[in-house]
Structures are given as C-alpha cells and as structure tokens.
Amino acid sequence: MIGRNELIAAGWPSKGNVSARTVDVHISQLRKLLHQNCASAFILTVRLAGYALRKRRGEHPGRLADGR
C-alpha cells in the first residue's frame, strides 16, 4: 500500500503544491489504460489511506503471498 503523499513525493518531487486530487486523476487514467488490456482491477483504492496493487486475480493487497 502506498499513500497519496508518498506518490506525490515520488512523482512530483519539485512541485510544492500538488494536491491529492492530482494523484486520483492520474490513477483514474492508469486504470482506464489497464482496463483496455485486461479485465481485472490491478490498482485498488485503500479508503482513507492511498492505493495498493493486486498482482494476481483474487489476491488481497494487504497480504503477502504466504498469507502474512
């Protein structure tokens, strides 16, 4: 899981006033591009926290492959 502020720091390091909404818009665009090529949702929203990536269909983003 990665928070919006972490994404802002990584994606826009020299910009001082990038909002969390900017991240949301970019994530939305990524989802649209991914959806054109595959049916599964790989970018998941973690409410009040940020985003997570799902590697495989049915995999919970908060758990490692070994179930931890």
Side-chain angles (χ1 to χ4, degrees):
M1 202 280 312
I2 187 166
R4 286 180 179 87
N5 289 335
E6 292 174 88
L7 287 170
I8 290 170
W12 297 272
S14 61
K15 306 285 185 191
N17 57 352
V18 175
S19 75
R21 185 69 187 132
T22 300
V23 174
D24 295 340
V25 169
H26 283 279
I27 293 292
S28 175
Q29 292 170 346
L30 282 171
R31 283 179 170 148
K32 286 178 186 176
L33 288 171
L34 289 171
H35 185 70
Q36 291 173 0
N37 296 315
C38 54
S40 296
F42 290 102
I43 303 173
L44 305 173
T45 300
V46 180
R47 191 169 180 219
L48 301 175
Y51 297 95
L53 296 178
R54 180 171 54 190
K55 294 180 184 178
R56 291 179 286 255
R57 175 179 273 165
E59 181 179 69
H60 188 280
R63 295 190 184 121
L64 299 175
D66 64 2
R68 287 187 287 153

